[in-house]
Amino acid sequence: MIWYLYSCKKGVLPMPHFSQEEKEAVYKAIYTRRDIRTFRPDPVAPDTILKLLDAAHHAPSVGFMQPWNFILVQSADVKKRLAWAADKERRALAIHYEGERETRFMSLKIEGIEQAPLTVCVTCDPTRGGSHVLGRNSIPETDMMSTACAIQNMWLAACAEGLAMGWVSFYKKNDVRDILGIPPHIDPIALLSVGYTDHYPDIPILESSNWEKRRQLEPLIYAEQWGRQA
Amino acid sequence: MIWYLYSCKKGVLPMPHFSQEEKEAVYKAIYTRRDIRTFRPDPVAPDTILKLLDAAHHAPSVGFMQPWNFILVQSADVKKRLAWAADKERRALAIHYEGERETRFMSLKIEGIEQAPLTVCVTCDPTRGGSHVLGRNSIPETDMMSTACAIQNMWLAACAEGLAMGWVSFYKKNDVRDILGIPPHIDPIALLSVGYTDHYPDIPILESSNWEKRRQLEPLIYAEQWGRQA
């Protein structure tokens, strides 16, 4: 198992070499990863779940604090309560959109929580590693950014394993804390729906639904100074 | 060019299939990625830089807001000023560590800014996409987390391209804003050193220097409820 091999070697290695095929595989995961909201009910095998979580656990973290936990939700009852929290927030948010934008907002399929066989609540513990975590002392939100890197690793691993994932970011954190028994100082960063799908679009759902367009990359790149085109 | 191909197809595709070799290549990038602080001076080719930035640009973002910009710093003078800002913060932070911990802190090699041929300042614009970004309305810090996902994509692409990267997270944001002319509402999320290296450790530098250990994964996984071991 290659991930085990890489985790356990000790010493200093030469910079790892990637063949052309290996490079292409990495880009394939990066470019084909999508945020998915429609799932088949088939369960995800426990070892596959563990592979995704181990990929997440090998993300970079500020001061090596590894601030994450993973709460695996597979019970229909708990998923239903999480879906309720997300739907409540969705209805509250809809009030801020008016007219045509509200109609479009309500037509977006945004939750697959009840459909997906697995929801992973990824949390961030800002107290992990003690009071003076290297780097976090300077920029405190680096703990959340580390957790986001873990989510991205998990997403790319899911893609490679033929699994679809959706990041639900509509909820009141205290609703999720209440439902999952999460202590007040722990941040429930994301609810991730994971499962197999028959609906895998090749462009982002928010792009095909004309909600937002993909920007051109070039205007986002500057040289030496903000605003100076590269 | 495979990344271009994946960016441009239109329609609904079947879930992409990854061969065993392709899966292993994705895990290889995830497991061999390291935070590097020692670089050779050789420059990075402009198209390779563009590949890394395009990988970053294909990260997920809340409401598809794509809040990132990339300021490429290659001038020795600007790099020197960024290194000064990081070093100043490092000396300030050292005061919070005392005794043996302070000695260890000061012995860690933490900055490769002047050595690396390229520093990329990655920023996050919380105003991009207007006042009511889907999802960000509910959890505002999802913009920063999106930017962190972009950084992780970039890091994995760098690894596949044989490039080393280091994420510098010691600086006062206003120093970096002053040096790079970044407006006050834009968040300079990270300074990334990018280049080739002859020093590529197979375990994290903070682990080999006994600063922190890698945690066991299993105790970080819960089932259905916080604290209930899976």
Side-chain angles (χ1 to χ4, degrees), chain A residues 3 9 11 13 17 27-28 31 54 66 70 72 89 138 141 152-153 161 173 200 202 222 224, chain B residues 9 11 13 17 27-28 31 54 70 72 89 138 141 152-153 161 173 200 202 215 222 224:
Chain A
W3 53 93
K9 274 187 197 162
L13 292 175
H17 173 77
Y27 286 113
K28 179 173 167 178
Y31 285 97
D54 200 41
Q66 309 159 73
F70 308 96
L72 308 182
E89 179 69 354
S138 180
E141 62 269 28
Q152 182 64 2
N153 266 7
E161 297 289 347
K173 290 181 179 182
Y200 201 86
D202 69 330
Y222 298 137
E224 308 300 335
Chain B
K9 276 188 193 160
L13 293 176
H17 173 77
Y27 286 113
K28 180 174 168 178
Y31 285 97
D54 199 41
F70 307 95
L72 309 182
E89 179 71 352
S138 181
E141 62 271 26
Q152 182 64 2
N153 266 8
E161 297 289 347
K173 290 180 179 182
Y200 201 84
D202 68 331
R215 289 169 187 269
Y222 298 137
E224 308 298 337

Side-chain angles (χ1 to χ4, degrees), chain A residues 41 70 94 101 107 116 125 140 145 151 173:
Chain A
F70 308 96
R101 194 92 173 148
S107 75
D125 179 354
M145 292 195 275
I151 292 170
K173 290 181 179 182

Side-chain angles (χ1 to χ4, degrees), chain A residues 81-100:
Chain A
R81 292 161 68 203
L82 291 174
W84 160 83
D87 183 64
K88 189 160 66 91
E89 179 69 354
R90 171 180 160 87
R91 284 179 283 127
L93 290 173
I95 294 171
H96 295 283
Y97 296 106
E98 293 183 321
E100 198 249 342

Side-chain angles (χ1 to χ4, degrees), chain A:
Chain A
M1 293 197 299
I2 197 158
W3 53 93
Y4 183 71
L5 191 76
Y6 282 115
S7 318
C8 290
K9 274 187 197 162
K10 298 277 170 213
V12 176
L13 292 175
M15 183 86 212
H17 173 77
F18 283 68
S19 68
Q20 189 55 35
E21 291 69 28
E22 287 177 319
K23 276 187 208 181
E24 286 178 8
V26 174
Y27 286 113
K28 179 173 167 178
I30 288 172
Y31 285 97
T32 61
R33 182 207 52 78
R34 288 286 165 270
D35 194 316
I36 301 297
R37 306 287 158 166
T38 309
F39 297 89
R40 295 205 310 255
D42 331 24
V44 184
D47 318 355
T48 311
I49 299 175
L50 208 56
K51 282 185 204 175
L52 306 192
L53 300 183
D54 200 41
H57 187 50
H58 281 76
S61 64
V62 64
F64 205 29
M65 76 183 284
Q66 309 159 73
W68 39 70
N69 284 87
F70 308 96
I71 309 174
L72 308 182
V73 177
Q74 293 173 295
S75 112
D77 176 56
V78 182
K79 282 195 288 176
K80 192 172 183 170
R81 292 161 68 203
L82 291 174
W84 160 83
D87 183 64
K88 189 160 66 91
E89 179 69 354
R90 171 180 160 87
R91 284 179 283 127
L93 290 173
I95 294 171
H96 295 283
Y97 296 106
E98 293 183 321
E100 198 249 342
R101 194 92 173 148
E102 184 184 355
T103 314
R104 255 169 52 203
F105 174 76
M106 289 307 284
S107 75
L108 288 170
K109 181 171 172 55
I110 55 161
E111 306 314 339
I113 295 178
E114 282 194 85
Q115 241 181 29
L118 171 67
T119 293
V120 182
C121 176
V122 182
T123 61
C124 175
D125 179 354
T127 68
R128 189 155 305 156
S131 306
H132 294 283
V133 170
L134 192 74
R136 190 183 180 278
N137 248 356
S138 180
I139 306 182
E141 62 269 28
T142 44
D143 55 6
M144 268 190 313
M145 292 195 275
S146 304
T147 310
C149 288
I151 292 170
Q152 182 64 2
N153 266 7
M154 187 175 158
W155 213 332
L156 296 172
C159 187
E161 297 289 347
L163 280 162
M165 201 172 111
W167 180 336
V168 177
S169 56
F170 288 6
Y171 51 83
K172 289 281 176 249
K173 290 181 179 182
N174 276 343
D175 280 338
V176 171
R177 286 193 184 98
D178 288 347
I179 295 167
L180 300 178
I182 297 171
H185 70 288
I186 302 286
D187 193 352
I189 290 274
L191 292 174
L192 307 174
S193 306
V194 181
Y196 296 93
T197 190
D198 294 320
H199 296 85
Y200 201 86
D202 69 330
I203 60 167
I205 297 169
L206 293 181
E207 192 174 1
S208 56
S209 64
N210 290 318
W211 185 268
E212 264 307 340
K213 289 190 173 63
R214 187 178 299 278
R215 289 168 187 268
Q216 293 289 309
L217 173 60
E218 287 67 18
L220 302 175
I221 306 175
Y222 298 137
E224 308 300 335
Q225 288 288 308
W226 178 270
R228 190 186 299 168
Q229 287 299 320

